[in-house]
Amino acid sequence: MVSLRFLFPFPQWPGRRSAHLANSSSFHFSPAFVAATAATIVGATAGIGVALAMSPNPSNEIGDLPYHNPCDSAAFLSASVTLAESSSTAVEPKTGVLFPGVVDGARRLLGIGLRKKNVFGLKNIDVYAFGVYAEVNDVKKLREKYGVLSESEVRGSKEFFADVLDQDLRMTVRLQIVYGRLTIGSVRSAFEESVGNRLKKFSGSDNKELLKRFTSLFRDEYKLPRGSVIDLSREQGYILQTKINGKEVGSIQSKLLCQSILDLYIGDDPFDKKAKEDIGAGLTSLLQN
């Protein structure tokens, strides 16, 4: 059983391990934001020109979710999670975002991480926190091959993560938005780049039609204020199901697309390397218990 504990000294913000961002996606930021960032870090004044896709005060037509940072309250000076317990809740310590220990009945939380974006080399922006979940019984199908491995052996096994990507295991990646000016257009552009690169990695071709089918699910009428939730789930039969704030916006049957999405978080070049290590430990726990 894997257990994580995060301690929050009040009233300061908690620290977090530095997440390694191995992939750059096309998130766009407003001129005022970039100029303010430049002025803070390098003493520059306004005048940074950049093409933008951010709205200042978006409203959510799917369901506006209030954003609550548990670090704002002394009641959350400490939080702990045992990933094998259904009643647990995990906290991404830098942003204070909460992740339930279980979603969709028996899909257990394996690990959490943070997606960042660097703005012109000036400042890292926290875009979203993410949690990766897996169906317990599906993971146990790998027990015969990997059940005897230690946690360190799993972490170092490329074959193990390749099997997790390849097998028809039900999994969910939950994205919780923490950047308040993110638009659906910038999310669409980011996926066009990052998922497009993975589709080419696994198939050797661009697969533009498949990529467009996926990115077109993120329509302009969907707003993403801070606190919004995007669920990307691999369902039985290699069906990628996409939800925004609990509402299904589309499903696509494609093993290649499922692999490409999950590869962003547990592949050879993940968004957050430390998160991938935690996810490996979580998978090991499910295999051995």
Side-chain angles (χ1 to χ4, degrees):
M1 184 176 296
V2 177
S3 179
L4 303 177
R5 184 170 182 83
F6 307 101
L7 299 177
F8 303 143
F10 185 83
Q12 295 180 339
W13 281 81
R16 184 184 187 270
R17 79 267 190 265
S18 175
H20 175 76
L21 180 60
N23 301 279
S24 175
S25 296
S26 305
F27 291 107
H28 303 286
F29 300 87
S30 68
F33 180 84
V34 175
T37 301
T40 300
I41 297 177
V42 298
T45 56
I48 299 178
V50 60
L52 298 168
M54 293 295 164
S55 60
N57 291 300
S59 61
N60 187 358
E61 298 177 7
I62 299 182
D64 197 352
L65 301 182
Y67 179 77
H68 172 66
N69 189 335
C71 294
D72 292 339
S73 169
F76 287 87
L77 292 181
S78 67
S80 63
V81 57
T82 302
L83 297 182
E85 295 177 1
S86 62
S87 61
S88 63
T89 299
V91 179
E92 198 295 303
K94 188 174 187 296
T95 60
V97 171
L98 298 172
F99 288 89
V102 175
V103 296
D104 296 333
R107 222 161 280 196
R108 301 286 177 86
L109 181 61
L110 304 174
I112 57 179
L114 188 61
R115 176 71 167 111
K116 296 185 177 184
K117 173 62 181 177
N118 185 271
V119 184
F120 300 116
L122 301 175
K123 184 177 178 65
N124 281 325
I125 303 303
D126 300 331
V127 182
Y128 62 77
F130 65 86
V132 177
Y133 296 78
E135 192 81 18
V136 176
N137 290 334
D138 288 358
V139 174
K140 289 182 177 179
K141 295 175 183 178
L142 300 175
R143 179 177 288 176
E144 182 177 351
K145 185 174 182 180
Y146 297 105
V148 297
L149 295 184
S150 66
E151 180 180 324
S152 61
E153 288 174 323
V154 168
R155 286 182 179 182
S157 174
K158 290 186 177 181
E159 183 180 3
F160 173 74
F161 282 104
D163 275 344
V164 173
L165 290 172
D166 181 72
Q167 298 298 311
D168 193 13
L169 312 177
R170 287 168 291 178
M171 298 182 69
T172 294
V173 180
R174 172 162 292 186
L175 317 180
Q176 297 203 53
I177 307 302
V178 296
Y179 180 66
R181 296 183 179 181
L182 193 68
T183 65
I184 198 73
S186 60
V187 171
R188 188 167 54 239
S189 295
F191 279 138
E192 285 174 353
E193 180 181 342
S194 60
V195 177
N197 288 338
R198 295 319 200 278
L199 289 172
K200 190 171 184 178
K201 167 187 172 181
F202 286 111
S203 69
S205 61
D206 291 334
N207 288 277
K208 292 182 179 179
E209 182 178 346
L210 178 59
L211 179 62
K212 186 175 181 180
R213 286 178 62 198
F214 171 63
T215 58
S216 66
L217 298 177
F218 299 91
R219 298 189 293 275
D220 289 338
E221 61 262 33
Y222 300 152
K223 309 303 179 184
L224 294 174
R226 186 169 60 174
S228 297
V229 176
I230 300 173
D231 285 334
L232 304 172
S233 299
R234 178 172 61 186
E235 302 297 342
Q236 205 76 51
Y238 297 103
I239 295 174
L240 182 75
Q241 180 189 79
T242 302
K243 293 181 180 179
I244 300 178
N245 292 333
K247 177 182 178 180
E248 184 177 348
V249 298
S251 295
I252 300 172
Q253 197 283 326
S254 170
K255 179 179 180 179
L256 174 60
L257 182 59
C258 290
Q259 281 181 308
S260 299
I261 294 292
L262 290 169
D263 189 73
L264 298 173
Y265 305 94
I266 61 172
D268 293 336
D269 199 16
F271 285 155
D272 188 330
K273 287 190 174 182
K274 181 61 172 64
K276 179 185 173 179
E277 292 179 4
D278 293 341
I279 293 164
L283 288 165
T284 304
S285 176
L286 293 183
L287 287 172
Q288 297 177 347
N289 293 286

